[in-house]
Amino acid sequence: MNGAQALIRTLTGSGVNVCFSNPGTSEMHFVAALDAVPDMRGVLCLFEGTATGAADGYGRMTGRPAAALLHLGPGLANGLANLHNARRASTPVVTVVGDYATYHKRHDAPLESDIEALAGSVSRWVRRSARSADVAADAADAVAAAMTAPGGVATLILPADVSWSEGAEPAPPRGFRAPAPVPGEAVSAAAAVLRGGEPCVVLIGGAGARRPGLEAASRIARATGARLLCETFPARHERGAGIPAVDRLAYLAEFAMAQLDGARHLILAGTGEPVSFFAYPGKPSSLVPRDCQVHVLSYPGDDAAGALTALADLVAPDAKPEPRQPARPGLPDGDLTGEKAAAVIGALLPEGAIVSDEANTSGLWLPAATAGAPPHDWLNLTGGAIGQGLPLATGAAIACPGRKVLALEADGSAMYTISALWTHAREGLDITTVVFANRSYAILGMELARVGAAATGEAARGLLDLSRPDLDFTALATGMGVPASRAATAAEFAGQLRRALAEPGPHLIEALVPPIG
Ligand SMILES: Cc1ncc(C[n+]2csc(CCOP(=O)(O)OP(=O)(O)O)c2C)c(N)n1
Ligand SMILES: [Mg+2]
């Protein structure tokens, strides 16, 4: 068998069954090998940022890596921003980057580039397969590296001749390090802090933001009076009726500081110390209040939910978690706004939905409006690199075929990876995309003032304005095979969303909303 076949058989044998692909000539043997290994589902993505973001969405929902097949350095470079988001999410992803044949590289042909340098910026593990006899073992190592807690990006560089040469055979799966149990001392130290009675905030992140971690945290809060907060952009937040509700730390530093104000102790469970997303002249970078002591209950890579449970068993043995009561907003009427769109989404969000949230400023009202909706998963923009939402939805829908996926997209962000819509149509994915068409980079209008840049002239405003011409998202969607509609009123939006959610397959709704501010 050739290297490519052994590689793909090793991936499937290690639990990697989907490959989000944008291939080129150097990956043709990999492509050909897909017919020999039906267990591997190849999914064509028309831009590499969709392939990498889809692998992130798939990994967040399954806890197992998908592969992303990319074409040499330039293909990898196109996929980097969403690999950056995946790295920030600690998502297991296996990137396979085709390269020129080993003997061809010294000729410096046009696509020759420093793949290792590009890969190194986002990967926790990078290896170049030297021989077809090695490629299977390398692939097994790649999967183990991606899966090692807390999860990350592993990049395997695959020279074309390694792929096409015979003499390879599949390798068995490798073991990897699972999330580590937290030492008893860390748990008892946190317990002592909580028993001390001083104002305390428990900041939850990573896998702690799933139901078991949140239930344990809720017991702790009930028994000790500690306040709970969740990191600003958890990769996957389980929420809704029946699950303890925990507010996220605000994006804007001044709101985050207000949330943390008065805390004398901050216990970190699965996340790092809170910092301001950006620096602002004259404002602190760290959000830890003065006179507040930081205690690490669990580091990323530790079992955050297990640590919270152990802590709850110490300080709150008899307490029960406080589930969020079911509640949905009423359906609003009148012209559509971000706030009314949030109410409609809160009113209609189906049980078990997966929300890929890149609504940005138009999403300000979503957390409150959906808090009491039936249980759902909320996926956030972990690394701040926009263009994540549509790809993430792609991967989540393939990971969870029985669940409704809702991609909530700001218009500017949607355009980065708009071609993901074509993959939604090609694969018949059950994704409803809502584009909040505020015709602007609204957040940057806000940030302009916040960083103290006083520019208000035409030239500056022109760089933050998405009109002239207005983007026609219904035309963009239908041009890629996704049925689409446009809503200007709350009632139109509610009707269109209800229909889209009732009918399987992809849909897009262009929601006309004014920019905030
Ligand atoms: C990859 C990447 N490029 C550029 C930016 C800078 N950036 C942050 S927000 C933004 C515009 C967001 O506009 P939109 O998605 O329409 O959301 P809105 O602010 O209008 O709600 C840009 C360009 C970024 N965060 N990531
Ligand atoms: Mg916008």
Side-chain angles (χ1 to χ4, degrees), residues 81 85 251 277-278 358-363 381 383-387 409-414 416 436 438-445 464 466 515-516:
N85 288 323
Y251 161 78
F277 203 94
F278 290 105
E358 197 172 38
N360 299 357
T361 57
S362 300
L381 178 58
I386 58 176
E409 279 294 311
D411 50 1
S413 298
Y416 284 68
F436 293 96
N438 64 6
R439 312 267 186 246
S440 80
Y441 283 168
I443 192 162
L444 298 186
L464 312 181
L466 298 183
I516 64 164

Side-chain angles (χ1 to χ4, degrees), residues 23-429:
T25 305
S26 43
E27 295 80 42
M28 285 298 109
H29 285 82
F30 187 105
V31 170
L34 288 175
D35 280 317
V37 192
D39 286 352
M40 178 64 88
R41 175 174 177 185
V43 176
L44 179 58
C45 300
L46 303 186
F47 175 67
E48 292 86 346
T50 299
T52 55
D56 184 5
Y58 182 93
R60 288 193 204 186
M61 293 312 300
T62 60
R64 284 183 289 115
L69 179 68
L70 309 171
H71 185 52
L72 297 97
L76 172 58
N78 277 344
L80 277 185
N82 275 334
L83 287 176
H84 161 83
N85 288 323
R87 180 177 78 84
R88 285 281 169 185
S90 298
T91 308
V93 173
V94 172
T95 315
V96 179
V97 184
D99 195 8
Y100 283 134
T102 50
Y103 58 85
H104 193 63
K105 290 188 68 66
R106 66 187 176 85
H107 296 289
D108 194 29
L111 279 159
E112 183 59 39
S113 65
D114 190 346
I115 298 175
E116 277 85 350
L118 291 164
S121 66
V122 291
S123 311
R124 53 177 15 197
W125 181 100
V126 181
R127 188 180 296 167
R128 170 181 293 276
S129 275
R131 305 178 312 149
S132 61
D134 298 339
V135 70
D138 292 340
D141 284 349
V143 176
M147 284 297 293
T148 291
V153 178
T155 299
L156 181 64
I157 304 170
L158 180 65
D161 53 338
V162 170
S163 190
W164 74 50
S165 296
E166 297 293 322
E169 52 183 89
R174 289 279 146 83
F176 53 85
R177 202 182 65 233
V182 166
E185 302 86 81
V187 178
S188 44
V193 168
L194 289 163
R195 288 185 180 123
E198 292 190 318
C200 181
V201 170
V202 181
L203 186 62
I204 303 159
R210 308 272 299 278
R211 186 193 280 261
L214 298 172
E215 289 185 339
S218 172
R219 291 169 56 202
I220 294 167
R222 276 192 142 176
T224 68
R227 283 190 294 134
L228 304 179
L229 284 170
C230 186
E231 64 185 335
T232 309
F233 296 111
R236 178 179 174 187
H237 186 186
E238 278 186 44
R239 59 197 296 278
I243 301 171
V246 177
D247 285 343
R248 282 153 50 186
L249 195 65
Y251 161 78
L252 293 177
E254 45 274 41
F255 292 126
M257 283 166 86
Q259 285 171 300
L260 293 169
D261 192 38
R264 299 297 305 276
H265 299 275
L266 185 59
I267 295 178
L268 303 177
T271 185
E273 283 192 27
V275 295
S276 176
F277 203 94
F278 290 105
Y280 299 95
K283 303 263 174 64
S285 290
S286 170
L287 296 177
V288 179
R290 229 195 297 271
D291 303 324
C292 176
Q293 248 183 295
V294 177
H295 313 267
V296 179
L297 173 65
S298 67
Y299 289 97
D302 291 343
D303 175 7
L308 284 164
T309 305
L311 183 56
D313 290 345
L314 274 187
V315 300
D318 303 321
K320 296 259 173 297
E322 183 179 356
R324 179 66 166 80
Q325 293 307 307
R328 289 193 187 259
L331 283 175
D333 51 25
D335 287 346
L336 193 59
T337 61
E339 187 170 9
K340 290 181 195 172
V344 172
I345 290 165
L348 302 181
L349 193 69
E351 177 159 3
I354 302 166
V355 178
S356 170
D357 179 6
E358 197 172 38
N360 299 357
T361 57
S362 300
L364 195 63
W365 302 270
L366 284 168
T370 55
H376 55 272
D377 280 292
W378 202 276
L379 311 182
N380 295 288
L381 178 58
T382 45
I386 58 176
Q388 176 194 259
L390 294 175
L392 207 67
T394 309
I398 287 178
C400 304
R403 297 175 63 174
K404 293 278 169 193
V405 177
L406 198 56
L408 304 178
E409 279 294 311
D411 50 1
S413 298
M415 287 305 292
Y416 284 68
T417 42
I418 193 76
S419 69
L421 291 174
W422 180 86
T423 302
H424 296 182
R426 156 69 82 86
E427 299 290 330
L429 301 178

